[in-house]
């Protein structure tokens, strides 16, 4: 394999480890092991450092406009092609929980694509995205700009569960 292929594989592994260790930290906290949770959080952040450095050596970080264009493409693929196929397969296999998770992600990815398009239009005019607040649904990943809705339009989580993003 080439160095670029190795870097791509390393990036995938480091990114997955970052998320996995973050979730493991939450579980350790919930199970009453605060120092194990801290260890996992430290490891999660270390993996994020590795992933970030790999993105740069892979030449995957461009201008904000270029990054937004790539982000729109990625999100469009996920909600138009990838997740619909995943939902169909899960339904055929009667894996209802997976079908729900995939459906939530698919709908959230469409929202993300549209928000990236709004941001891209702003950036093209030399302006930042107009947003008094940005809120994240912790269940489905929906993002709302302005204020959190009374309930998530994708998964129904109440407004109090949304997290303000700084």
């Amino acid at each position: 394999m080439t160095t670029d292929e190795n870097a791509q594989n390393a990036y995938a592994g480091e990114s997955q480890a970052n998320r996995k260790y973050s979730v493991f930290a939450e579980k350790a906290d919930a199970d009453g092991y605060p120092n194990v949770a801290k260890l996992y959080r430290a490891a999660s952040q270390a993996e994020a450092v590795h992933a970030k450095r790999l993105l740069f050596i892979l030449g995957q970080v461009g201008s904000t406009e270029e990054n937004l264009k790539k982000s729109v493409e990625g999100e469009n693929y996920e909600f138009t092609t990838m997740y619909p196929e995943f939902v169909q397969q899960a339904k055929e296999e009667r894996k209802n929980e997976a079908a729900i998770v995939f459906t939530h992600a698919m709908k959230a990815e469409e929202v993300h694509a549209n928000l990236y398009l709004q941001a891209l239009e702003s950036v093209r005019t030399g302006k930042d995205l107009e947003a008094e607040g940005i809120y994240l649904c912790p269940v489905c990943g929906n993002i709302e700009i302005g204020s959190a809705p009374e309930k998530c339009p994708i998964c129904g989580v109440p407004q109090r569960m949304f997290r303000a993003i700084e």
Side-chain angles (χ1 to χ4, degrees):
M1 290 200 333
T2 68
T3 297
D4 283 349
E5 290 169 328
N6 290 338
Q8 192 70 304
N9 286 334
Y11 173 72
E14 299 289 351
S15 298
Q16 291 175 13
N18 164 258
R19 294 295 76 208
K20 180 171 56 177
Y21 294 161
S22 178
V23 172
F24 289 178
E26 291 175 13
K27 178 64 172 148
D29 266 334
D31 288 349
Y33 301 106
N35 287 330
V36 172
K38 285 180 189 177
L39 174 61
Y40 271 126
R41 280 192 291 279
S44 174
Q45 290 177 30
E47 305 298 357
V49 167
H50 302 157
K52 178 181 174 181
R53 294 183 73 200
L54 288 160
L55 269 181
F56 278 97
I57 68 166
L58 286 165
Q60 293 293 314
V61 180
S63 69
T64 298
E65 184 174 339
E66 291 166 338
N67 295 340
L68 284 165
K69 287 177 186 176
K70 283 189 225 174
S71 298
V72 169
E73 288 174 17
E75 300 293 318
N76 279 336
Y77 167 75
E78 289 177 355
F79 86 81
T80 62
T81 304
M82 185 181 84
Y83 278 120
E85 292 173 6
F86 290 1
V87 169
Q88 181 63 35
Q89 183 69 37
K91 286 180 178 178
E92 288 172 10
E93 294 177 10
R94 293 184 180 14
K95 296 196 175 190
N96 296 332
E97 187 65 26
I100 290 168
V101 170
F102 293 152
T103 299
H104 286 171
M106 177 179 63
K107 290 178 179 181
E109 302 300 11
E110 183 173 8
V111 171
H112 301 171
N114 288 326
L115 292 173
Y116 287 146
L117 283 171
Q118 289 177 29
L120 181 59
E121 290 306 312
S122 294
V123 168
R124 283 182 173 153
T125 64
K127 297 179 184 170
D128 195 4
L129 179 66
E130 298 257 343
E132 290 186 27
I134 298 179
Y135 299 86
L136 172 68
C137 175
V139 172
C140 70
N142 181 35
I143 297 172
E144 295 284 337
I145 292 185
S147 63
E150 285 190 36
K151 71 178 196 173
C152 180
I154 294 174
C155 69
V157 162
Q159 182 180 48
R160 64 181 165 73
M161 298 288 290
F162 273 75
R163 295 190 300 236
I165 304 300
E166 297 301 319

